[in-house]
Amino acid sequence: MLDQVRVLAFDIFGTTVDWWTGVSRQVDEIAAERGVELDGGAFAEAWRDRYAPSLRRVIVGEGPFATLDVLHRESLDDLLLAFGAADAFDEASRERLVRAWHRLPAWDDAVDGLSRLGRGYVVAALSNGGFALLTNLVKAAGLPFDCIISAELAGSYKPDPRVYRHAAGLLDVQPAQVLMVAAHGWDLAGAREAGMRTAFVERPVEKGPHREADRRADVDCDLAVAGFAELAEALGR
Amino acid sequence: MLDQVRVLAFDIFGTTVDWWTGVSRQVDEIAAERGVELDGGAFAEAWRDRYAPSLRRVIVGEGPFATLDVLHRESLDDLLLAFGAADAFDEASRERLVRAWHRLPAWDDAVDGLSRLGRGYVVAALSNGGFALLTNLVKAAGLPFDCIISAELAGSYKPDPRVYRHAAGLLDVQPAQVLMVAAHGWDLAGAREAGMRTAFVERPVEKGPHREADRRADVDCDLAVAGFAELAEALGR
């Protein structure tokens, strides 16, 4: 079933990089500089909670396409009000907070796993992050992707099947020749609907220490692994 | 004038890779296998001659956008007739010839120059090659680009200024923050019209041994260099 696969498409937030740790630390740091008490972890979680609803509005066409930076900024402004911290953050500090999503630590197995997998496959980032965000993030984390594909290029967001089909088209392969690799069942469901193969990577703490991440028992996929090293072994690399 | 620059956008064919040598050798090889006498160098030059006119038809809207692979295939079919060799090349060998443009040798200074420049700038490929072609080419040649931007993403071709502006938009910078690096005056003219800064790289044999390449005396640009090493030095890297 995976013999036809030529391209591995990797989700980024939670799958390849640790957004919870990266965002919560940067929130802590910027809040401290502004002299405000703010729980970076709780703030990061609340920010991420706004993620799916804001994408959904774009997918169903309730609003025009806007990059993730723009959606992050809108939800940030709301959240600072909700956390009673709106007065403490000026324009420049809000811009810095939005850019926190451009600088996130890779999971320990990511660089080595991608290097191994890149010897046998085209390894592509396929994320809802904007093209600029992904370029910055991948460069700063030293992730050896062959190319970066943002949902922005399709003018929609995962899990809209058009995003996955558009990515396969850009790489001039059939969807069945692409293995989507993600730590989220909803992402793999969209990929499967578009005709891709699916690999689930279990990242138990990707939502931080307080919340349950997706677990393999609950996810429908062609392959389930504990990380990128196990993925490389499963694919013979 | 170049202080604002954050992104270096590199042309590929002729600037970063040696299309003449790569294509002519592969034509020689495939022709020999088919038992045909064909001068690979002359064929490569005639093929490249069809390049600008085929792009122009797309830019002015005479036809819908088609990837460079599709345009290469159309001109290949014409040329094989013109060279009296149409009968000798079946479908599979024509596909292989089109794919010759996906496997081209980098100029000697390219990998090291891009590595040095990548320490201070976002280094992007910005080419008329399709996204799949560029991904294959960059991977096979081991070129350390941070991201790949194809004219395909803008639905047009260089030197249409929309292609350069679209690339700057994807990277979330102003055109004046991008330095376009190319061995062709026409490419730099399009970039300048879009508001980018321009660096000319002299590649004296990029059109092969029989034709004159563009020379710095004839090209209007912000910076002219003999190769990627000199470019890195000029930019302090």
Side-chain angles (χ1 to χ4, degrees):
Chain A
M1 169 147 216
L2 299 178
D3 291 355
Q4 302 178 57
V5 168
R6 298 288 171 269
V7 174
L8 309 181
F10 289 82
D11 174 54
I12 298 297
F13 302 118
T15 301
T16 307
V17 303
D18 178 2
W19 65 268
W20 189 91
T21 300
V23 174
S24 60
R25 278 189 191 157
Q26 291 177 78
V27 170
D28 280 339
E29 195 180 302
I30 297 169
E33 284 176 32
R34 312 292 304 168
V36 193
E37 270 206 53
L38 202 60
D39 177 338
F43 196 87
E45 287 159 22
W47 207 352
R48 183 74 172 176
D49 283 344
R50 308 282 176 116
Y51 176 75
S54 66
L55 304 188
R56 203 170 299 125
R57 284 190 290 276
V58 171
I59 296 172
V60 301
E62 271 175 35
F65 180 83
T67 63
L68 193 59
D69 283 347
V70 172
L71 302 180
H72 275 153
R73 176 56 192 267
E74 287 171 5
S75 48
L76 173 67
D77 290 345
D78 281 354
L79 276 182
L80 288 174
L81 279 170
F83 276 73
D87 292 345
F89 291 88
D90 61 4
E91 180 61 28
S93 60
R94 288 172 193 229
E95 284 301 306
R96 277 178 67 202
L97 284 167
V98 167
R99 301 274 295 190
W101 293 90
H102 294 220
R103 294 279 181 283
L104 300 173
W107 295 114
D108 282 347
D109 58 8
V111 170
D112 185 58
L114 289 171
S115 298
R116 287 168 63 185
L117 290 160
R119 284 173 216 137
Y121 298 90
V122 170
V123 290
L126 177 51
S127 164
N128 282 335
F131 195 86
L133 179 160
L134 291 172
T135 299
N136 292 337
L137 180 77
V138 164
K139 184 179 178 72
L143 296 164
F145 283 113
D146 294 318
C147 64
I148 290 170
I149 301 180
S150 165
E152 178 184 3
L153 301 180
S156 187
Y157 281 109
K158 299 188 293 180
D160 183 342
R162 286 177 298 176
V163 172
Y164 306 91
R165 284 192 207 108
H166 186 260
L170 282 177
L171 292 171
D172 200 19
V173 293
Q174 297 301 313
Q177 295 176 292
V178 181
L179 180 66
M180 183 73 212
V181 182
H184 310 112
W186 60 265
D187 196 354
L188 298 181
R192 188 180 320 106
E193 195 181 332
M196 289 184 178
R197 302 296 172 244
T198 54
F200 177 68
V201 180
E202 211 164 37
R203 297 292 195 194
V205 294
E206 73 100 2
K207 295 191 199 312
H210 315 116
R211 300 188 177 194
E212 273 293 305
D214 289 3
R215 304 309 292 247
R216 68 175 80 190
D218 308 314
V219 172
D220 198 6
C221 58
D222 298 317
L223 181 67
V225 293
F228 287 8
E230 194 183 321
L231 180 64
E233 277 152 41
L235 296 174
R237 293 286 148 191
Chain B
M1 168 148 220
L2 300 179
D3 290 356
Q4 302 178 58
V5 168
R6 297 289 171 268
V7 174
L8 309 181
F10 289 83
D11 174 55
I12 297 298
F13 302 118
T15 301
T16 308
V17 303
D18 177 2
W19 65 267
W20 189 91
T21 299
V23 174
S24 60
R25 278 190 191 156
Q26 291 178 79
V27 170
D28 281 340
E29 196 180 300
I30 297 170
E33 283 176 31
R34 312 292 304 170
V36 193
E37 270 206 55
L38 203 58
D39 177 338
F43 196 86
E45 287 159 22
W47 207 353
R48 183 73 173 175
D49 283 345
R50 307 283 177 116
Y51 176 74
S54 66
L55 304 187
R56 203 172 297 124
R57 284 190 290 276
V58 172
I59 296 171
V60 302
E62 273 176 33
F65 180 82
T67 63
L68 194 58
D69 282 349
V70 172
L71 302 180
H72 273 154
R73 176 57 192 267
E74 288 172 5
S75 47
L76 173 67
D77 290 344
D78 281 355
L79 276 181
L80 287 174
L81 278 172
F83 277 73
D87 293 344
F89 291 87
D90 61 5
E91 180 61 27
S93 60
R94 288 172 194 231
E95 284 301 308
R96 278 179 67 201
L97 284 167
V98 167
R99 300 275 294 191
W101 294 89
H102 295 219
R103 294 280 181 281
L104 300 172
W107 294 113
D108 281 346
D109 58 8
V111 170
D112 186 58
L114 290 171
S115 298
R116 288 169 63 185
L117 290 160
R119 283 174 216 137
Y121 298 90
V122 170
V123 291
L126 177 51
S127 163
N128 282 335
F131 195 86
L133 178 160
L134 291 171
T135 299
N136 293 336
L137 180 76
V138 163
K139 184 178 178 74
L143 296 165
F145 283 114
D146 293 317
C147 63
I148 290 171
I149 301 181
S150 166
E152 177 183 5
L153 300 180
S156 187
Y157 280 109
K158 299 189 291 181
D160 183 341
R162 288 177 296 177
V163 172
Y164 306 91
R165 285 193 207 106
H166 185 261
L170 282 177
L171 292 171
D172 199 18
V173 294
Q174 296 302 313
Q177 295 176 292
V178 182
L179 180 66
M180 182 74 213
V181 182
H184 311 112
W186 61 264
D187 197 355
L188 298 181
R192 189 181 318 106
E193 194 179 333
M196 288 185 178
R197 302 296 171 246
T198 54
F200 177 68
V201 180
E202 211 164 39
R203 296 291 194 194
V205 295
E206 74 100 3
K207 295 190 200 310
H210 315 116
R211 300 186 177 195
E212 272 293 304
D214 289 4
R215 305 309 291 248
R216 69 174 80 190
D218 308 313
V219 173
D220 199 6
C221 58
D222 299 316
L223 181 67
V225 292
F228 287 8
E230 195 183 322
L231 180 63
E233 277 153 39
L235 297 174
R237 292 287 146 190

